[in-house]
Amino acid sequence: MADSEMELKNRTSDKLKDSPDSPDCEQSEPLDFKRSERIDLSTLVSLSDFELAVKDFISPMAYEYLLAGASDEVTLGWNRQSFNNLRLRPRVLIDVSEIDTNVRLLGERLPFPILLAPCAYQRLFHEEGELATVRGANQAKAIFTLSTMGTTSVEAVVQEATNAVWFQLYVQRDKAFTKSIIQRVEDAGVKALMITVDTPVIGTRNRETRIKFQLPSEFERPQLSGFKWDDSTTHRPRDGEIYSSLFDPKLNWKDVEWMCSFARVPVLLKGILNPDDAAIACDSGVAGVIVSNHGARNLDTVPAAIDALPEVVERIAGRMPVLMDGGVRRGTDVLKAIAFGADAVFIGRPYLYGLGVAGAAGVARVINILRNEFEMAMALTGCTSIEKIGKTVIW
């Protein structure tokens, strides 16, 4: 584990002991955005700088929720460590005076292969929530994916966006309700539908349980308007149960085919780790897959996303785009993922760090730092375009 990550864990543990939301205290914690604590964004020069800074700008409950992984958080550590274990093989004396990071994805030309992953409850981290995020994405020219659990309506987000917006869907047990969500987001103007397929039940999230994670009562989840919750303040099931009203434990490949049959936008599956599932996906009607372990928040001790990526890419064999989500913190990580066959990568927690620190400006700076590092990594390994990044880049 890197020193910065160990420092974060130690600070988190200390915060938890004194938190008013610890199991020994029933006091609820208000959202306390410390916007009077201004920060010069030029002093934050890496994504890890934002990770260390954000704790001073959001509530302890939001901070714990943001950092939390599943169970013992083994996979959470692996998501980073596996990237760190990959060594690069640079080439020299190559003309790298021009670097082209353009990529085509689902028929659209993107200026760089870095997208914003779906993340829930963004008003926990900033007053404007997803609206601030999409404004930051606008500034940095990145695609933003809105979560089903977003705290801003899809219509408001798409209206604010100057780049494409994708939508992440948790399939509901009520299929008519699910179809109505898909039709609504398509009518709003989203360009792709991302179905989360790795969450028939939620994972063991001890850190959330310890802090008694609970959404503020004033929060709304506009995409789920009309949904009947077992517990309106959380996504977790009741004590002693594993099933939640939010997730459909019966979700299967026939449901995927059903959604593809009427969806008017490309459909992608998020949460593929097993290459056997990737093979089935090729025949299911979807337009692409995202290799992801849900940010290490569901099933602990599954492989890091970057470790699962090569076998999925091999099984897909170029039949559809393969994207990757999990652990990306440096431009060299983006390079390594593309070298292993990813068409693009997502970031999640890092842009939320930026959101918490400085709203839209923080989100934009996080994206721009990562993009700049990626261009540097390409130049220093002798890769002048995305097409020239291959496995020979890895030592």
Side-chain angles (χ1 to χ4, degrees), residues 4-19 51-52 55 60-61 63-69 73 76 207 210-211:
S4 62
E5 293 178 12
M6 181 63 73
E7 181 182 1
L8 275 171
K9 282 186 175 290
N10 291 338
R11 293 182 182 181
T12 298
S13 177
D14 292 340
K15 274 177 168 281
L16 185 54
K17 293 175 184 176
D18 300 328
S19 170
E51 184 174 4
L52 290 169
K55 65 183 178 61
M61 183 187 73
Y63 181 74
E64 292 292 329
Y65 173 75
L66 177 54
L67 265 65
E73 301 185 346
L76 185 64
R207 206 190 290 209
R210 292 188 185 107
I211 62 170

Side-chain angles (χ1 to χ4, degrees), residues 191-204:
K191 300 302 183 183
L193 180 68
M194 180 189 300
I195 301 172
T196 294
V197 295
D198 61 359
T199 314
V201 300
I202 199 168
T204 301

Side-chain angles (χ1 to χ4, degrees), residues 147-182:
S147 169
T148 295
M149 307 301 286
T151 48
T152 306
S153 73
V154 63
E155 291 84 3
V157 168
V158 173
Q159 184 175 5
E160 191 70 26
T162 56
N163 310 305
V165 173
W166 293 6
F167 183 78
Q168 173 270 335
L169 176 69
Y170 283 120
V171 177
Q172 308 302 308
R173 303 183 192 199
D174 183 339
K175 293 301 185 288
F177 187 71
T178 294
K179 186 173 184 178
S180 71
I181 295 175
I182 294 173

